[in-house]
């Protein structure tokens, strides 16, 4: 994370973690703020890449802030030694937890994934059966939580 771009991590029981449940969140922006995950893959092969997408939200008199409202978009880039591929994932209702970004043929060595802070502009609230705090306008939160690479057999 670039210093002062994502703020401080927060602790909440519905984000991912084994010992401490923490993540970073910010209001959607222009794509200039990025979170990056790296791993060293022990062997080449086909890997399915998953990201953890928790329910994070809050609100005030004017807006509801949410990471899980239907229609919100999340922008991930998968980097390989030869290329990069952008994955745009649009949130559907109830789609929290581990989300597959797809399968990728990756070489042994460093692999990385970047989430940028692009999202959607404030939108009208869609009824999801939840209490709306912000007078019908929803502002997207982008949450950087966890990533995992799973080797396919």
């Amino acid at each position: 994370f670039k210093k002062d771009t994502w703020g401080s991590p927060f602790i909440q029981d519905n984000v991912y973690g084994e010992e401490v449940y923490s993540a970073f969140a910010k209001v959607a922006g222009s794509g200039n703020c990025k979170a990056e995950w790296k791993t060293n893959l022990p062997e080449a092969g086909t890997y399915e890449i998953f990201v953890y997408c928790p329910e994070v939200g809050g609100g005030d008199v004017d807006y509801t802030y949410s990471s899980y409202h239907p229609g919100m978009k999340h922008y991930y880039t998968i980097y390989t030694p030869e290329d990069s591929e952008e994955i745009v994932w649009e949130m559907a209702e109830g789609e929290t937890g581990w989300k597959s970004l797809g399968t990728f043929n990756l070489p042994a060595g460093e692999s990385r994934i970047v989430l940028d802070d692009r999202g959607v502009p404030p939108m009208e609230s869609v009824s999801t059966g939840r209490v709306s705090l912000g007078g019908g306008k929803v502002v997207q939160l982008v949450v950087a939580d966890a990533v995992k690479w799973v080797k396919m057999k």
Side-chain angles (χ1 to χ4, degrees):
F1 297 99
K2 290 183 180 175
K3 187 175 180 169
D4 299 324
T5 60
W6 285 79
S8 299
F10 65 92
I11 297 174
Q12 191 170 314
D13 65 355
N14 66 334
V15 298
Y16 189 77
E18 291 182 16
E19 301 289 329
V20 176
Y21 300 94
S22 65
F24 288 84
K26 70 177 298 301
V27 171
S30 63
N32 291 328
C33 296
K34 299 178 187 322
E36 182 175 12
W37 295 264
K38 291 181 184 179
T39 193
N40 191 9
L41 299 174
E43 60 185 345
T46 302
Y47 288 83
E48 186 168 10
I49 299 176
F50 294 88
V51 293
Y52 195 78
C53 301
E55 275 188 28
V56 177
D60 58 27
V61 175
D62 297 318
Y63 297 104
T64 297
Y65 298 90
S66 175
S67 68
Y68 55 90
H69 197 75
M72 291 183 170
K73 294 182 181 179
H74 305 271
Y75 294 84
Y76 292 90
T77 304
I78 313 298
Y79 289 91
T80 66
E82 301 84 34
D83 205 1
S84 64
E85 181 178 343
E86 183 175 74
I87 307 292
V88 180
W89 172 54
E90 186 170 330
M91 176 67 87
E93 185 170 352
E95 210 172 15
T96 58
W98 287 108
K99 167 73 178 162
S100 175
L101 295 181
T103 57
F104 303 87
N105 290 317
L106 300 173
E110 184 179 281
S111 179
R112 67 187 181 109
I113 298 169
V114 172
L115 167 67
D116 69 48
D117 71 337
R118 286 178 290 165
V120 297
M123 59 174 50
E124 293 297 321
S125 181
V126 174
S127 178
T128 61
R130 299 185 176 167
V131 175
S132 177
L133 302 172
K137 288 283 188 185
V138 180
V139 174
Q140 182 174 349
L141 292 176
V142 178
V143 179
D145 196 346
V147 171
K148 64 182 175 181
W149 288 255
V150 177
K151 179 104 174 19
M152 305 299 289
K153 294 186 180 194

